[in-house]
Amino acid sequence: QVHLVESGGGSVQAGGSLRLSCAASGYTAITDCMGWFRQAPGKGREGVAAINSDGSTSYADSVKGRFTISKDNAKNTLYLQMNSLKPEDTDMYYCAALAHRRCVWVGFVSEEYNFRGQGTQVTVSS
């Protein structure tokens, strides 16, 4: 089992920045891919960013050039640096992990995850 806890969400004006963190515990060695997806109430999930254990990354087109995913293996912590935030980035953001599988594309994070956290709300005002 892998336990994921997100933090760092909040409210920010358009153009601002936030950094999300995801602390992982448990059998983290089995997580070949970790990432972030977002979902608004009543809407589908959207994979935002993913990182494989070899360091390869993938992003949704909507966030490329603005968001950066990274991982500190020593701290078992995943990050999402979000810059130039837009009102359309407003959502609940979830940290997710896949066991024994790589993320071939960012959609794996939202559709194929084995573990996810409880989410952290990001609100961007215009």
Side-chain angles (χ1 to χ4, degrees), residues 30-75:
I30 66 173
T31 56
D32 288 335
C33 173
M34 295 187 69
W36 299 89
F37 70 87
R38 59 191 181 187
Q39 184 174 25
K43 294 188 178 181
R45 297 185 294 269
E46 179 190 18
V48 174
I51 184 167
N52 290 308
S53 56
D54 64 0
S56 58
T57 59
S58 56
Y59 296 91
D61 288 342
S62 59
V63 306
K64 281 181 181 177
R66 301 188 297 121
F67 291 10
T68 303
I69 190 171
S70 61
K71 187 179 177 186
D72 186 331
N73 291 322
K75 296 182 178 179

Side-chain angles (χ1 to χ4, degrees), residues 36-49 60 62 91-96 105-117:
W36 299 89
F37 70 87
R38 59 191 181 187
Q39 184 174 25
K43 294 188 178 181
R45 297 185 294 269
E46 179 190 18
V48 174
S62 59
D91 249 326
M92 183 71 81
Y93 284 72
Y94 296 88
C95 175
W105 69 294
V106 68
F108 270 49
V109 173
S110 57
E111 304 305 323
E112 303 289 339
Y113 66 86
N114 301 107
F115 311 100
R116 71 160 176 87

